[in-house]
Amino acid sequence: MKQETNLKIIISGPVGAGKSSAIASLSDIKPVVTDVKASDEVSQMKEATTVAMDYGTINLGEHTIHLYGTPGQQRFDFMWDILSEGALGLIVLIKHDSPDPVGDLKSYTDAFAHRLDSMPLCVGITHTDKKPAGSLNDYHEVVSRWGNVPVFTVDGRSKKDMNLLLMSLLGVIEPDIIKPLVSNL
Ligand SMILES: Nc1nc2c(ncn2[C@@H]2O[C@H](COP(=O)(O)OP(=O)(O)OP(=O)(O)O)[C@@H](O)[C@H]2O)c(=O)[nH]1
Ligand SMILES: [Mg+2]
């Protein structure tokens, strides 16, 4: 009998990058969300923000991918490490139309740096429909210390885009399991 495997993937990145949207578009189950009405400066940007985590799953036969989204806000950063325990890969989503998106990628990858020597990383640049991305070189440069890290423009609301990004990560972790995902494209 084939061994069932559970793969834990983390999605992190700043407020409004599209982490909750991404988990909702990828998950086979209704995602678990912990969004609450935003207070403070976040309320000027969006109505609700994640305070603990998002959770969704993708069933791939004998493999189950467990997706955990972190809160974007820095004040909940204690959750980032708790959620990352045992994770096999990290997706960082960056909101391209923010004031300093390259700086955001630096600070979010720095926060996970202690895990990134053993945990593959990929990067999704969102909101490029609002502000065209042009070259992604500046983003690539930030993550070059971890080797050939995939950096794609994605829309967090698009299952197709998010599947592609997830596949680029899983291709590094478990190349065999991405076949069923290809049929979702
Ligand atoms: N225009 C545009 N909107 C997007 C994109 N990705 C996500 N959104 C929207 O951006 C808003 C914020 O998305 P969320 O998924 O709540 O962001 P989050 O990263 O979970 O944010 P926090 O939980 O507050 O950290 C939602 O209205 C999404 O529908 C994108 O690529 N382009
Ligand atoms: Mg969220």
Side-chain angles (χ1 to χ4, degrees), residues 11-23 34-35 38 42 45-46 48-51 54 70-73 93-95 97 108 125-130 154-158 161:
I11 304 187
S12 192
V15 169
K19 303 175 294 295
S20 300
S21 318
I23 289 183
T34 62
D35 278 21
V42 175
M45 209 166 118
K46 64 207 289 275
T49 188
T50 305
V51 291
D54 302 296
T70 70
Q73 291 185 73
L93 295 181
I94 294 295
K95 190 174 186 302
D97 63 345
Y108 280 81
I125 310 299
T126 62
H127 290 75
T128 56
D129 52 311
K130 293 262 183 74
V154 291
D155 188 318
R157 302 162 298 180
S158 159
D161 285 7

Side-chain angles (χ1 to χ4, degrees), residues 113-127:
H114 60 294
R115 295 191 184 269
L116 288 177
D117 288 333
S118 56
M119 183 170 75
L121 164 72
C122 74
V123 179
I125 310 299
T126 62
H127 290 75

Side-chain angles (χ1 to χ4, degrees), residues 10-14 17 89-96 101-102 104-106 108-109 116 120-126 136 138-144 146-155 161-162 164-166 168-169:
I10 304 298
I11 304 187
S12 192
L90 172 69
I91 296 175
V92 175
L93 295 181
I94 294 295
K95 190 174 186 302
H96 183 66
V102 174
D104 289 342
L105 180 57
K106 182 158 179 8
Y108 280 81
T109 48
L116 288 177
L121 164 72
C122 74
V123 179
I125 310 299
T126 62
L136 299 177
D138 291 350
Y139 292 118
H140 276 289
E141 211 164 284
V142 171
V143 292
S144 59
W146 293 290
N148 232 339
V149 173
V151 180
F152 293 151
T153 59
V154 291
D155 188 318
D161 285 7
M162 289 311 305
L164 268 174
L165 188 63
L166 181 64
S168 76
L169 183 66

